Amino acid sequence: MAVMTRSFRNNFLALLATLLFVSSASSLAQGPDNPFASLNSTQDNAFLPVDEAYRQDLLLSGSQLSAIFEIAPEYYLYRDKLALYRIDNGQKTELSLNLPTGEVIWDDYFEKETEVYRGQLEFPIALNNPNTTTQLELHYQGCADAGLCYPPQTRHYTVDTSSGSIHAVEGGFSKASNSTTNGLSSQAGKSNRSSITLPFALLFAFAGGLLLNLMPCVFPVLSIKLLAVSQAAQNANQRLHHGWAYTAGVILSFVAIAAIMLALRAGGEAIGWGFQLQSPWLVAALAYLFFIMGLSLSGVTEFGSSLMGVGSNLNNSQGLRGSLTSGVLASLVASPCTAPLMGSALGFAVTQPAVVALSIFAALGAGMAAPFLLLTYIPALVEKLPRPGPWMDRLKQLLAFPMYLTAVWLLWVLGRQTGGDGVTLVLTGAVAIAFALWLWPRPQWRWLHGTVAIAALTFAVILLPRLSTAPQTQQQTSDYWQPYSAEKLEAARGEGRAVLANMTAAWCITCLANEKVVLSSDAVSSAIEKLGVVALKGDWTNQDPHISALLAKYGRTSVPLYLLYPASGGEAKILPQILSREELLMELEAAAEGGLSNSSVPQRKLPPL
């Protein structure tokens, strides 16, 4: 019953998202006075910086040294993450701690009972040589009840018992001192400062949006808009109006998708950026849409020309509505893609209040729309476009083929989600749509033809709710990839082996490119086998709460996410979203030798579904 309820809930939520996009363009342009008022309450739930959540210090009374933590309300500290090291001539020695009994709770992320501390914690520190200067390294980690888990923290202190002084050392001790234990570099209190600030998040989001235009899934829509600019090239006002209409459609769509995502996350849903393509029926609906646009561009029917703003409507308001809708469509198919710089910006966004988060997503949309808008403002570029003429009909027919290819790609994604039965249903619906558009009465309405055409379209639509996610089976892997699970990860790390974790999805173009060019290369395959690296692949094509939790732990909202765990222990290193074969080979070798540095990305723990 729980599975059925979750399936109904997910489909219902996805339905709400789609209804937003198929609403009229005028409604999108005007919008409610405050569509995100319900999200503003999250401002009151902003998480504290790590040094405010956990105020730590060392106290020296005579020759007796103790550590004290002041833990903010609704935050807690893990007992098993507390560790203290003494630094002697660059060598680290772990000190035994006499810790008090803490509170036992059920940890949602680690899925086990664990002991934590709340309020205040104080424990003694035994010094072997109380009359000398001692260098200490303190490790700890904590979480908030609301769901945020901070990365492991490291603080450094110099204790001089002869003078009774204690000094906090910013940035850690010498590099030689920090390179001994597990090859890990100390964060030394930089975790909070290493998180990007809002200006950088806005800049990264804008740059990531620019790069989204290079994604194959965006090309068909963008190419058609360039055709529209060619048609309007001789009228500057038309060009500018179309540019701003397209920009408004992109930005409003990114903000709308983000608002829905943030609202669902606030309600406890373990979802991320691109969540809409985890709904099989929405993937099928997009496949229908691109198939219809392909038929329209091929000349089978004129249905849909106003949707794309192509044709004779460029000099009226209907053409502007088409440009705005083009922006909506481009955003919908581009949102699952993750470009460089996007990951850190969106990871920062989901930890911020709603207004800040939505401004970052708006910057992402502005970046994606900027090239097209810029083109409409540069007459020299527009003049280089060919003048309207008969060639445009030929080009319009040529552009139908990217539409068909996009529909094929969406069918492939659907096959990964629902299996062969789902693809068969959608292909049947596509035939019904083609029949309906061929039969559609024009230029005048004919009741018999119209009734049969509507019945065929209705048949295609009622097939969508019949799509269901196929049961998760053993994932198809290469010679060295294994399906990801937390148990396999822990087992491999317990054996002292380096681990490469690859979180991917069938609808992620960046993921597929990395796997084809880098991860599947002979050089990488040989290195993984030679170095004994355990390679784990997590497939997020369908919703998977365990993968969602892992993404959130490392401050990511979507795939790809590549984690490399060193053989000698310690936190994983987050690899770039665009992989380089040479850099990956170097990182694999370093991981096998235990020489990676800690990731300082905030970790977030999601409640169980």
PDB file of all heavy atoms in Angstrom, residues 535-556:
ATOM      1  N   ALA A 535      34.791   0.101  -8.289  1.00  0.00           N
ATOM      2  CA  ALA A 535      33.986   1.066  -9.054  1.00  0.00           C
ATOM      3  C   ALA A 535      32.506   0.770  -8.837  1.00  0.00           C
ATOM      4  O   ALA A 535      32.027  -0.315  -9.168  1.00  0.00           O
ATOM      5  CB  ALA A 535      34.333   1.001 -10.533  1.00  0.00           C
ATOM      6  N   LEU A 536      31.790   1.752  -8.281  1.00  0.00           N
ATOM      7  CA  LEU A 536      30.368   1.598  -7.984  1.00  0.00           C
ATOM      8  C   LEU A 536      29.570   2.612  -8.804  1.00  0.00           C
ATOM      9  O   LEU A 536      29.940   3.786  -8.870  1.00  0.00           O
ATOM     10  CB  LEU A 536      30.091   1.818  -6.489  1.00  0.00           C
ATOM     11  CG  LEU A 536      30.848   0.897  -5.522  1.00  0.00           C
ATOM     12  CD1 LEU A 536      30.528   1.281  -4.079  1.00  0.00           C
ATOM     13  CD2 LEU A 536      30.489  -0.559  -5.769  1.00  0.00           C
ATOM     14  N   LYS A 537      28.500   2.134  -9.427  1.00  0.00           N
ATOM     15  CA  LYS A 537      27.652   3.008 -10.245  1.00  0.00           C
ATOM     16  C   LYS A 537      26.241   3.044  -9.668  1.00  0.00           C
ATOM     17  O   LYS A 537      25.607   2.011  -9.480  1.00  0.00           O
ATOM     18  CB  LYS A 537      27.601   2.538 -11.697  1.00  0.00           C
ATOM     19  CG  LYS A 537      26.682   3.390 -12.578  1.00  0.00           C
ATOM     20  CD  LYS A 537      26.539   2.822 -13.982  1.00  0.00           C
ATOM     21  CE  LYS A 537      27.789   3.012 -14.799  1.00  0.00           C
ATOM     22  NZ  LYS A 537      27.582   2.636 -16.217  1.00  0.00           N
ATOM     23  N   GLY A 538      25.758   4.257  -9.415  1.00  0.00           N
ATOM     24  CA  GLY A 538      24.389   4.445  -8.948  1.00  0.00           C
ATOM     25  C   GLY A 538      23.539   5.041 -10.047  1.00  0.00           C
ATOM     26  O   GLY A 538      23.873   6.097 -10.597  1.00  0.00           O
ATOM     27  N   ASP A 539      22.437   4.387 -10.397  1.00  0.00           N
ATOM     28  CA  ASP A 539      21.566   4.832 -11.495  1.00  0.00           C
ATOM     29  C   ASP A 539      20.386   5.602 -10.915  1.00  0.00           C
ATOM     30  O   ASP A 539      19.529   5.037 -10.244  1.00  0.00           O
ATOM     31  CB  ASP A 539      21.077   3.624 -12.296  1.00  0.00           C
ATOM     32  CG  ASP A 539      20.372   4.041 -13.580  1.00  0.00           C
ATOM     33  OD1 ASP A 539      20.089   5.248 -13.738  1.00  0.00           O
ATOM     34  OD2 ASP A 539      20.101   3.174 -14.422  1.00  0.00           O
ATOM     35  N   TRP A 540      20.339   6.907 -11.184  1.00  0.00           N
ATOM     36  CA  TRP A 540      19.294   7.797 -10.660  1.00  0.00           C
ATOM     37  C   TRP A 540      18.247   8.108 -11.728  1.00  0.00           C
ATOM     38  O   TRP A 540      17.534   9.088 -11.616  1.00  0.00           O
ATOM     39  CB  TRP A 540      19.949   9.085 -10.158  1.00  0.00           C
ATOM     40  CG  TRP A 540      19.202   9.795  -9.071  1.00  0.00           C
ATOM     41  CD1 TRP A 540      18.659   9.261  -7.940  1.00  0.00           C
ATOM     42  CD2 TRP A 540      18.931  11.210  -9.006  1.00  0.00           C
ATOM     43  NE1 TRP A 540      18.091  10.243  -7.177  1.00  0.00           N
ATOM     44  CE2 TRP A 540      18.240  11.441  -7.797  1.00  0.00           C
ATOM     45  CE3 TRP A 540      19.227  12.275  -9.828  1.00  0.00           C
ATOM     46  CZ2 TRP A 540      17.839  12.715  -7.405  1.00  0.00           C
ATOM     47  CZ3 TRP A 540      18.818  13.543  -9.430  1.00  0.00           C
ATOM     48  CH2 TRP A 540      18.130  13.760  -8.243  1.00  0.00           C
ATOM     49  N   THR A 541      18.186   7.258 -12.784  1.00  0.00           N
ATOM     50  CA  THR A 541      17.185   7.476 -13.826  1.00  0.00           C
ATOM     51  C   THR A 541      15.786   7.500 -13.225  1.00  0.00           C
ATOM     52  O   THR A 541      14.954   8.350 -13.558  1.00  0.00           O
ATOM     53  CB  THR A 541      17.280   6.374 -14.891  1.00  0.00           C
ATOM     54  OG1 THR A 541      18.601   6.373 -15.438  1.00  0.00           O
ATOM     55  CG2 THR A 541      16.283   6.614 -16.004  1.00  0.00           C
ATOM     56  N   ASN A 542      15.513   6.547 -12.353  1.00  0.00           N
ATOM     57  CA  ASN A 542      14.301   6.556 -11.549  1.00  0.00           C
ATOM     58  C   ASN A 542      14.647   7.061 -10.158  1.00  0.00           C
ATOM     59  O   ASN A 542      15.809   7.049  -9.741  1.00  0.00           O
ATOM     60  CB  ASN A 542      13.701   5.147 -11.459  1.00  0.00           C
ATOM     61  CG  ASN A 542      13.178   4.671 -12.802  1.00  0.00           C
ATOM     62  OD1 ASN A 542      12.631   5.444 -13.583  1.00  0.00           O
ATOM     63  ND2 ASN A 542      13.358   3.390 -13.087  1.00  0.00           N
ATOM     64  N   GLN A 543      13.638   7.496  -9.444  1.00  0.00           N
ATOM     65  CA  GLN A 543      13.852   7.987  -8.085  1.00  0.00           C
ATOM     66  C   GLN A 543      14.445   6.898  -7.208  1.00  0.00           C
ATOM     67  O   GLN A 543      13.982   5.767  -7.208  1.00  0.00           O
ATOM     68  CB  GLN A 543      12.522   8.471  -7.493  1.00  0.00           C
ATOM     69  CG  GLN A 543      12.622   8.968  -6.062  1.00  0.00           C
ATOM     70  CD  GLN A 543      13.571  10.133  -5.911  1.00  0.00           C
ATOM     71  OE1 GLN A 543      14.711   9.942  -5.527  1.00  0.00           O
ATOM     72  NE2 GLN A 543      13.116  11.333  -6.223  1.00  0.00           N
ATOM     73  N   ASP A 544      15.517   7.231  -6.511  1.00  0.00           N
ATOM     74  CA  ASP A 544      16.169   6.310  -5.590  1.00  0.00           C
ATOM     75  C   ASP A 544      16.569   7.103  -4.353  1.00  0.00           C
ATOM     76  O   ASP A 544      17.480   7.931  -4.406  1.00  0.00           O
ATOM     77  CB  ASP A 544      17.403   5.681  -6.242  1.00  0.00           C
ATOM     78  CG  ASP A 544      18.034   4.592  -5.379  1.00  0.00           C
ATOM     79  OD1 ASP A 544      18.080   4.769  -4.151  1.00  0.00           O
ATOM     80  OD2 ASP A 544      18.492   3.579  -5.938  1.00  0.00           O
ATOM     81  N   PRO A 545      15.894   6.892  -3.218  1.00  0.00           N
ATOM     82  CA  PRO A 545      16.167   7.710  -2.030  1.00  0.00           C
ATOM     83  C   PRO A 545      17.584   7.561  -1.515  1.00  0.00           C
ATOM     84  O   PRO A 545      18.139   8.485  -0.920  1.00  0.00           O
ATOM     85  CB  PRO A 545      15.138   7.206  -1.007  1.00  0.00           C
ATOM     86  CG  PRO A 545      14.717   5.861  -1.496  1.00  0.00           C
ATOM     87  CD  PRO A 545      14.821   5.913  -2.985  1.00  0.00           C
ATOM     88  N   HIS A 546      18.216   6.407  -1.730  1.00  0.00           N
ATOM     89  CA  HIS A 546      19.583   6.215  -1.251  1.00  0.00           C
ATOM     90  C   HIS A 546      20.564   7.075  -2.049  1.00  0.00           C
ATOM     91  O   HIS A 546      21.481   7.674  -1.478  1.00  0.00           O
ATOM     92  CB  HIS A 546      19.967   4.738  -1.335  1.00  0.00           C
ATOM     93  CG  HIS A 546      19.086   3.843  -0.514  1.00  0.00           C
ATOM     94  ND1 HIS A 546      19.103   3.871   0.861  1.00  0.00           N
ATOM     95  CD2 HIS A 546      18.148   2.931  -0.862  1.00  0.00           C
ATOM     96  CE1 HIS A 546      18.224   2.984   1.332  1.00  0.00           C
ATOM     97  NE2 HIS A 546      17.640   2.415   0.300  1.00  0.00           N
ATOM     98  N   ILE A 547      20.364   7.121  -3.371  1.00  0.00           N
ATOM     99  CA  ILE A 547      21.226   7.980  -4.188  1.00  0.00           C
ATOM    100  C   ILE A 547      20.925   9.445  -3.910  1.00  0.00           C
ATOM    101  O   ILE A 547      21.834  10.281  -3.843  1.00  0.00           O
ATOM    102  CB  ILE A 547      21.044   7.645  -5.684  1.00  0.00           C
ATOM    103  CG1 ILE A 547      21.498   6.206  -5.960  1.00  0.00           C
ATOM    104  CG2 ILE A 547      21.817   8.626  -6.554  1.00  0.00           C
ATOM    105  CD1 ILE A 547      21.319   5.767  -7.393  1.00  0.00           C
ATOM    106  N   SER A 548      19.647   9.782  -3.720  1.00  0.00           N
ATOM    107  CA  SER A 548      19.285  11.160  -3.379  1.00  0.00           C
ATOM    108  C   SER A 548      19.975  11.589  -2.096  1.00  0.00           C
ATOM    109  O   SER A 548      20.462  12.719  -1.980  1.00  0.00           O
ATOM    110  CB  SER A 548      17.763  11.283  -3.229  1.00  0.00           C
ATOM    111  OG  SER A 548      17.102  10.959  -4.438  1.00  0.00           O
ATOM    112  N   ALA A 549      20.014  10.689  -1.112  1.00  0.00           N
ATOM    113  CA  ALA A 549      20.674  11.014   0.157  1.00  0.00           C
ATOM    114  C   ALA A 549      22.169  11.220  -0.029  1.00  0.00           C
ATOM    115  O   ALA A 549      22.761  12.119   0.572  1.00  0.00           O
ATOM    116  CB  ALA A 549      20.411   9.901   1.173  1.00  0.00           C
ATOM    117  N   LEU A 550      22.784  10.397  -0.879  1.00  0.00           N
ATOM    118  CA  LEU A 550      24.216  10.550  -1.128  1.00  0.00           C
ATOM    119  C   LEU A 550      24.498  11.873  -1.832  1.00  0.00           C
ATOM    120  O   LEU A 550      25.467  12.584  -1.497  1.00  0.00           O
ATOM    121  CB  LEU A 550      24.737   9.377  -1.961  1.00  0.00           C
ATOM    122  CG  LEU A 550      26.243   9.372  -2.231  1.00  0.00           C
ATOM    123  CD1 LEU A 550      27.011   9.173  -0.933  1.00  0.00           C
ATOM    124  CD2 LEU A 550      26.617   8.293  -3.243  1.00  0.00           C
ATOM    125  N   LEU A 551      23.674  12.233  -2.807  1.00  0.00           N
ATOM    126  CA  LEU A 551      23.844  13.520  -3.485  1.00  0.00           C
ATOM    127  C   LEU A 551      23.733  14.667  -2.497  1.00  0.00           C
ATOM    128  O   LEU A 551      24.550  15.591  -2.490  1.00  0.00           O
ATOM    129  CB  LEU A 551      22.790  13.674  -4.592  1.00  0.00           C
ATOM    130  CG  LEU A 551      22.888  12.745  -5.803  1.00  0.00           C
ATOM    131  CD1 LEU A 551      21.646  12.901  -6.679  1.00  0.00           C
ATOM    132  CD2 LEU A 551      24.132  13.025  -6.610  1.00  0.00           C
ATOM    133  N   ALA A 552      22.706  14.603  -1.650  1.00  0.00           N
ATOM    134  CA  ALA A 552      22.487  15.677  -0.690  1.00  0.00           C
ATOM    135  C   ALA A 552      23.606  15.747   0.333  1.00  0.00           C
ATOM    136  O   ALA A 552      23.979  16.829   0.795  1.00  0.00           O
ATOM    137  CB  ALA A 552      21.146  15.469   0.014  1.00  0.00           C
ATOM    138  N   LYS A 553      24.159  14.602   0.691  1.00  0.00           N
ATOM    139  CA  LYS A 553      25.259  14.572   1.665  1.00  0.00           C
ATOM    140  C   LYS A 553      26.438  15.393   1.188  1.00  0.00           C
ATOM    141  O   LYS A 553      27.124  16.046   1.984  1.00  0.00           O
ATOM    142  CB  LYS A 553      25.687  13.128   1.912  1.00  0.00           C
ATOM    143  CG  LYS A 553      26.878  12.988   2.860  1.00  0.00           C
ATOM    144  CD  LYS A 553      27.287  11.540   3.011  1.00  0.00           C
ATOM    145  CE  LYS A 553      28.510  11.406   3.927  1.00  0.00           C
ATOM    146  NZ  LYS A 553      28.970  10.003   4.045  1.00  0.00           N
ATOM    147  N   TYR A 554      26.682  15.382  -0.115  1.00  0.00           N
ATOM    148  CA  TYR A 554      27.814  16.114  -0.672  1.00  0.00           C
ATOM    149  C   TYR A 554      27.381  17.410  -1.353  1.00  0.00           C
ATOM    150  O   TYR A 554      28.080  17.926  -2.231  1.00  0.00           O
ATOM    151  CB  TYR A 554      28.591  15.220  -1.634  1.00  0.00           C
ATOM    152  CG  TYR A 554      29.357  14.148  -0.899  1.00  0.00           C
ATOM    153  CD1 TYR A 554      28.827  12.871  -0.734  1.00  0.00           C
ATOM    154  CD2 TYR A 554      30.591  14.429  -0.330  1.00  0.00           C
ATOM    155  CE1 TYR A 554      29.513  11.893  -0.027  1.00  0.00           C
ATOM    156  CE2 TYR A 554      31.289  13.465   0.371  1.00  0.00           C
ATOM    157  CZ  TYR A 554      30.745  12.201   0.517  1.00  0.00           C
ATOM    158  OH  TYR A 554      31.431  11.242   1.225  1.00  0.00           O
ATOM    159  N   GLY A 555      26.222  17.935  -0.963  1.00  0.00           N
ATOM    160  CA  GLY A 555      25.812  19.254  -1.419  1.00  0.00           C
ATOM    161  C   GLY A 555      25.456  19.333  -2.879  1.00  0.00           C
ATOM    162  O   GLY A 555      25.624  20.380  -3.503  1.00  0.00           O
ATOM    163  N   ARG A 556      24.949  18.256  -3.460  1.00  0.00           N
ATOM    164  CA  ARG A 556      24.563  18.243  -4.866  1.00  0.00           C
ATOM    165  C   ARG A 556      23.063  18.015  -4.980  1.00  0.00           C
ATOM    166  O   ARG A 556      22.461  17.331  -4.161  1.00  0.00           O
ATOM    167  CB  ARG A 556      25.309  17.145  -5.637  1.00  0.00           C
ATOM    168  CG  ARG A 556      26.820  17.392  -5.769  1.00  0.00           C
ATOM    169  CD  ARG A 556      27.089  18.617  -6.627  1.00  0.00           C
ATOM    170  NE  ARG A 556      28.507  18.810  -6.871  1.00  0.00           N
ATOM    171  CZ  ARG A 556      29.268  19.645  -6.184  1.00  0.00           C
ATOM    172  NH1 ARG A 556      28.740  20.329  -5.191  1.00  0.00           N
ATOM    173  NH2 ARG A 556      30.548  19.801  -6.475  1.00  0.00           N
TER     174      ARG A 556
END
